[in-house]
Every structure is written in C-alpha cells, then in structure tokens.
C-alpha cells in the first residue's frame, strides 16, 4: 500500500517511537513570537540549557505590535513588556530575529512562506494554532503549546501522538467571484468545529489544485477551525514556482536536489486515508458567518438557519450565539449594517487579498459610516502593494494602509473593535470578544469585506459593478 503525503513526511522525521506512547518527531523549523515563548525561554534559563539548533529557530513579534507609528515606543504596557521580553530572549540565546520595523517583520505565518523559510517536506511548529498555514507548501505544520516550545528549543524534537489522516476533495472549480476563504468557511460549515478532530487533513481535487499559493495558504490556515491537527496540500508546479527565488529558498544544485525530493511527496495513487470526504466546489457561494464560531457559516444570500434546522442538543448554544450577535433565526444577512471592516491577518493579509479588495473598490468611495483597517501581513506585501499601484487605488477610494501586524484578528494590540459593534473581518475566528470585549465578528473573504467597506452593509460583491 502506498503512503500519503502526511505519512511520507512524518515517517522521515521519526527519531524514536515510545512503546504504546507518543512519537519523538524531529522538527526542521520552529517559529517563535512574543506571546507563547517567554515561559519556554525561562524554562531553558532555569535548567541552564542553551537552544540546541539556533539556526532552525526564527523569531518575530506580531500579535502585540501596533499597526500605526511602529517607529515610536509601544504604549500599551502589557504589549510593550511582551515584545521587550522577546527582544531580551533572542539576544541572550542568539537567535534569528525580525523585530518591529525590520524588513522581514510581519505576521509569522505570512513571512515564513513568502521568504522561503517554509518548504515542502518540512516539519514546522510554532506556539500558535494557525501554524497549519504552512502546510500549503507541502509541509507538515502544526501548533504546539508552551511546554512543547521549550522542548523544541532544547532538543529540536517534540513528542506527538500520531494523528489519523483525512482527505477532503473539492471536485470541480469555484464559480467566478468565489475565493479560497469562501471555500474554507464552506468546508468548516459542513464539517462543524469538531468534524476533523484527531485528523491531519490533506486537501485535494480540481478546486484546490487551481488555487494560487495565497489561496492555498488561506485554506490550510483555517484547518484548525474544524478541529484538525493541521492541513496540507501536495506540492506541485504552483508550489515550486512560488518558492523559486525566495530569499531563503535553495539555489543552484541545492534547488535541483530539493526539487527532485519534493516531487516524490504527493500521496501515492494507492495510498489510503482513515477518512475521505468529497465536496462540490461549484456549490460554494461567497460565504459569511452569522454566529460565534467559524462553523456557523452560510452563503451570503441564504437565511440564518431556523431553530428547527438545528440539532436539538445544540439549540441552547445556538440561541446564545445569535443573542450575542443580535441576529434572529430565519433572517437574511444581506443589507445588515456594519461598523468596522478588517482586511488582514495570517488568513488574508497577502498580496492576492489586497488585489481582490482593490478590484472591488476601484473607482468607488469608502462608506463614511465604516471604520476600515487594511493591514498587510508583511513589509514585503507593503512593497508589492506599492509596486502594483494598489496603494493609489485604495487611497483614491478613501482607504489607508496600515503597518504589518496581527492587528484586529485578536484583541492583543491597539486595533480593537468596540463593544456591540459589527466587524466584517477576513481573519480566522469570530469567538465572543475575539476582536475586543463585546465585539461582534462576521468572517468573510476579501471581496465581501470590500463590498461592505463601500456600501456600509453586508453586500454580495458580485452585485457591485
């Protein structure tokens, strides 16, 4: 029997197998940010240990940093302390570090792939659940806890129980006006937030293969939101073209050798998965959420499910979610006013996302009633925005581009949505208070966010001329 993509990478990185226990897995790259690393570094310090393989650790601040006036000292005392603590730790342990203002600073899960630090066949970890993003390069990438971050710093290995494998095939192609974020939210709405618990997911099918790398990164980013341990896509010509020439990508003979290996990674034709699921990508519409978890999603022109359509065991939590959001069962979302729009995060902070947003708003004007935060995922994305003239299109429409950072994805920095306000967001989570205490988050893709930014309400972007 053949092997899956997951099997090939996992098996190659096994150091030891504990009898009736977990696997000791070698890690090729770990990313560290300011939120989950302080206790890990303190653990090393208390035990008198050094970082075992410092060249395989990459650090940057992203969650707590402001997205305006980054050249000034951070004002929030908690954010300032977390960033300064990372500054101190990377200097003490002599690690590769991209601090605020550095040309390679940005959102970790944007910077890694776009610089060629994340490559096919790698095992990649970070103390952040959305590390699954990097699986789009054909890597085995997953989030780990703080104690595991310490373990990797000390040994370059981590203990993990081997997850089951699942293949989600999306046959046919997406319809015009439908993006990778819609695909991800659609799949989560069908799988629900626990539908892939215990599995590592490989995405396949015509719709997946036809995605750009930016789209693939978005799809894998959201894998965790249906409970999966991670998501991945087999590397192909799209992957290779994206990686070639990146700052840290192999060159010359090393490139040829790496490419030959990468081409062996896709799942074998006779490989068997523990679970197979098939969706028809042609059924997917622009998708939005109406509740307080990413699984509560629907087509933009649909109605919020009635109580009768919800499983009886889930009705109490369902009504609680709608009460928090201020919505009613059976309502339409189209036309509902919004207060904030956020384009950015490790889900949708890449150049393709800004192109899609600019395409919708070109020649139009921002709604005066809406506060809009456009936050690139890295300084490289900022550079591309300027090179392509997107900044001029956005400025003419009344929008301002902010500096890179996690921004309004989560309420750990200055970009917080006020209580009771509605935010149309391209980020990954819509939990209660995720974007600020009492904030109400509606997850969407960049086209729907752009449509809301110029109309001031939930609008199908396909209706905007």
């Amino acid at each position: 029997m053949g092997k899956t993509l997951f099997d090939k990478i996992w098996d190659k990185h096994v150091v030891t197998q504990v009898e009736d226990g977990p696997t000791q897995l070698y890690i090729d790259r770990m990313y560290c940010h300011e939120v989950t690393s302080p206790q890990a570094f303190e653990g090393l310090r208390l035990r008198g240990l050094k970082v075992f393989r410092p060249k395989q650790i990459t650090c940057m601040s992203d969650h707590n940093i402001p997205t305006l006036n980054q050249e000034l000292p951070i004002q929030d005392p908690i954010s300032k302390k977390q960033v300064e603590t990372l500054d101190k730790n990377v200097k003490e342990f002599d690690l590769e570090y991209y601090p605020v203002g550095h040309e390679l600073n940005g959102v970790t899960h944007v910077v890694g792939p776009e610089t060629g630090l994340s490559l096919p066949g790698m095992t990649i970890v970070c103390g952040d659940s959305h590390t699954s993003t990097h699986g789009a390069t054909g890597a085995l990438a997953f989030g780990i806890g703080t104690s595991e971050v310490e373990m990797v710093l000390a040994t370059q290995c981590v203990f993990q129980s081997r997850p089951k494998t699942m293949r989600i095939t999306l046959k046919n192609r997406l319809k015009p006006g439908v993006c990778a974020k819609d695909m991800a939210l659609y799949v989560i709405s069908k799988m629900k937030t626990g539908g892939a618990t215990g599995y590592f997911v490989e995405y396949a099918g015509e719709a997946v293969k036809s995605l750009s790398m930016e789209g693939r990164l978005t799809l894998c980013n959201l894998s965790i939101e249906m409970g999966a341990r991670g998501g991945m896509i087999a590397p192909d010509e799209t992957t290779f073209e994206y990686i070639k020439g990146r700052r840290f990508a192999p060159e010359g003979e090393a490139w040829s050798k790496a490419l030959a290996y990468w081409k062996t990674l896709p799942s074998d034709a006779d490989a068997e998965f523990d679970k197979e699921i098939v969706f028809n990508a042609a059924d997917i519409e622009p998708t939005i959420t109406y509740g307080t978890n990413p699984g509560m999603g629907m087509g933009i022109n649909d109605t919020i499910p009635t109580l009768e359509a919800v499983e009886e065991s889930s009705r109490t939590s369902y009504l609680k979610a709608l009460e928090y959001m201020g919505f009613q069962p059976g309502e339409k979302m189209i036309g509902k006013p919004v207060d904030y729009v956020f384009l950015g995060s490790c889900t949708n902070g890449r150049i393709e996302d800004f192109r899609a947003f600019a395409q919708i708003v070109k020649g139009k004007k921002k709604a005066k009633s809406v506060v809009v935060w456009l936050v690139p995922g890295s300084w490289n994305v900022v550079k591309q925005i300027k090179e392509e003239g997107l900044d001029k299109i956005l400025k003419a429409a009344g929008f301002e581009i902010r500096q890179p950072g996690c921004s309004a994805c989560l309420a750990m920095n200055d970009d917080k949505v006020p209580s009771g306000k509605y935010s149309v967001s391209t980020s990954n989570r819509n939990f209660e208070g995720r974007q600020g205490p009492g904030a109400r988050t509606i997850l969407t893709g960049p086209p729907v966010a752009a449509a809301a930014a110029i109309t001031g309400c939930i609008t199908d972007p396909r209706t905007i001329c």
Side-chain angles (χ1 to χ4, degrees):
M1 187 176 69
K3 286 188 173 186
T4 67
L5 166 64
F6 172 87
D7 293 332
K8 292 178 183 182
I9 302 175
W10 180 280
D11 293 347
K12 188 178 176 67
H13 288 79
V14 171
V15 178
T16 58
Q17 178 65 54
V18 178
E19 187 176 352
D20 298 323
T23 302
Q24 184 185 26
L25 204 66
Y26 184 79
I27 300 302
D28 293 309
R29 174 144 326 271
M30 181 165 73
Y31 296 102
C32 281
H33 55 65
E34 75 277 23
V35 179
T36 55
S37 66
Q39 298 90 338
F41 282 112
E42 184 63 17
L44 294 188
R45 200 174 285 116
L46 291 172
R47 292 194 289 157
L49 298 176
K50 295 181 178 180
V51 174
F52 183 57
R53 291 196 170 162
K55 292 187 181 300
Q56 290 166 242
I57 312 295
T58 305
C59 307
M60 68 192 82
S61 293
D62 55 8
H63 283 59
N64 291 89
I65 64 178
T67 59
L68 290 176
N69 303 314
Q70 289 184 353
E71 67 281 2
L72 301 177
I74 296 174
Q75 297 301 306
D76 179 75
I78 295 176
S79 294
K80 182 178 181 181
K81 184 174 182 179
Q82 286 199 300
V83 171
E84 287 179 347
T85 299
L86 182 61
D87 291 348
K88 172 188 170 185
N89 285 330
V90 295
K91 289 172 184 173
E92 179 179 341
F93 290 95
D94 194 24
L95 300 175
E96 186 72 17
Y97 181 44
Y98 308 137
V100 181
H102 190 283
E103 63 173 340
L104 294 183
N105 179 254
V107 181
T108 300
H109 307 315
V110 174
V111 174
E114 76 174 9
T115 57
L117 283 168
S118 299
L119 297 172
M122 277 187 166
T123 49
I124 299 171
V125 297
C126 176
D128 185 297
S129 58
H130 294 105
T131 307
S132 57
T133 308
H134 305 260
T137 65
L140 199 162
F142 52 94
I144 56 176
T146 298
S147 61
E148 293 169 315
V149 171
E150 182 181 343
M151 190 185 302
V152 177
L153 289 171
T155 69
Q156 206 56 40
C157 295
V158 69
F159 281 108
Q160 291 286 296
S161 296
R162 186 175 188 134
K164 293 180 286 186
T165 57
M166 176 189 295
R167 179 162 57 190
I168 296 179
T169 300
L170 289 125
K171 64 180 183 179
N172 300 318
R173 289 191 173 229
L174 295 172
K175 291 184 288 192
V178 180
C179 65
K181 181 66 165 290
D182 300 317
M183 181 191 292
L185 290 176
Y186 175 86
V187 170
I188 299 167
S189 74
K190 300 298 182 184
M191 299 287 295
K192 302 305 178 186
T193 52
T197 300
Y199 291 89
F200 223 97
V201 175
E202 179 179 340
Y203 298 99
E206 184 182 2
V208 174
K209 196 166 182 64
S210 64
L211 289 176
S212 65
M213 274 302 296
E214 284 88 352
R216 296 178 185 190
L217 290 160
T218 295
L219 180 59
C220 288
N221 172 273
L222 284 154
S223 302
I224 193 71
E225 306 308 334
M226 56 184 177
R229 195 70 185 89
M232 58 201 318
I233 296 171
D236 58 13
E237 290 304 320
T238 298
T239 319
F240 308 146
E241 283 301 312
Y242 177 85
I243 294 171
K244 191 173 185 179
R246 300 275 168 180
R247 187 163 182 156
F248 299 111
E251 296 178 327
E253 187 177 338
W255 170 263
S256 299
K257 184 178 179 181
L259 190 62
Y261 167 57
W262 297 343
K263 289 181 177 181
T264 70
L265 289 174
S267 295
D268 298 328
D270 59 343
E272 291 186 6
F273 292 78
D274 294 303
K275 193 169 187 178
E276 293 261 15
I277 295 176
V278 179
F279 295 110
N280 184 359
D283 292 339
I284 302 174
E285 300 289 331
T287 304
I288 57 174
T289 60
Y290 55 85
T292 55
N293 69 63
M296 301 177 78
M298 67 181 200
I300 194 168
N301 293 297
D302 293 341
T303 57
I304 297 172
T306 61
L307 193 60
E308 292 72 27
V310 178
E311 291 183 11
E312 191 169 350
S313 61
S314 302
R315 288 178 184 175
T316 300
S317 60
Y318 177 75
L319 290 174
K320 181 177 180 290
L322 290 192
E323 182 182 5
Y324 180 86
M325 292 299 294
F327 297 151
Q328 296 294 323
E331 277 189 320
K332 283 265 190 184
M333 293 283 285
I334 286 286
K336 285 190 175 293
V338 302
D339 305 294
Y340 284 74
V341 169
F342 170 51
L343 174 69
S345 83
C346 59
T347 313
N348 285 123
R350 299 175 183 82
I351 186 60
E352 183 177 275
D353 303 311
F354 280 81
R355 289 172 186 152
F357 191 98
Q359 184 178 3
I360 297 290
V361 306
K362 185 176 183 179
K364 303 172 184 67
K365 291 291 183 181
K366 182 184 87 67
K368 293 181 180 179
S369 60
V370 182
V371 175
V372 181
W373 292 325
L374 306 183
V375 186
S378 70
W379 284 106
N380 184 58
V381 175
V382 173
K383 179 183 177 184
Q384 289 176 288
I385 287 170
K386 292 178 179 179
E387 288 175 348
E388 296 181 20
L390 301 182
D391 57 328
K392 294 181 175 61
I393 293 172
L394 295 168
K395 185 177 181 180
F399 299 101
E400 174 190 11
I401 299 172
R402 297 167 83 93
Q403 294 168 314
C406 288
S407 185
C409 177
L410 76 174
M412 293 185 71
N413 51 70
D414 298 336
D415 301 346
K416 295 178 177 66
V417 176
S419 181
K421 297 298 184 181
Y422 287 99
S423 168
V424 167
S425 177
T426 66
S427 52
N428 41 54
R429 287 182 173 158
N430 54 339
F431 305 154
E432 292 186 19
R434 171 73 176 183
Q435 293 190 292
R440 295 161 162 173
T441 301
I442 299 165
L443 298 178
T444 68
V448 175
I454 58 176
T455 63
C457 63
I458 303 294
T459 304
D460 187 336
R462 298 172 297 183
T463 64
I464 295 177
C465 301

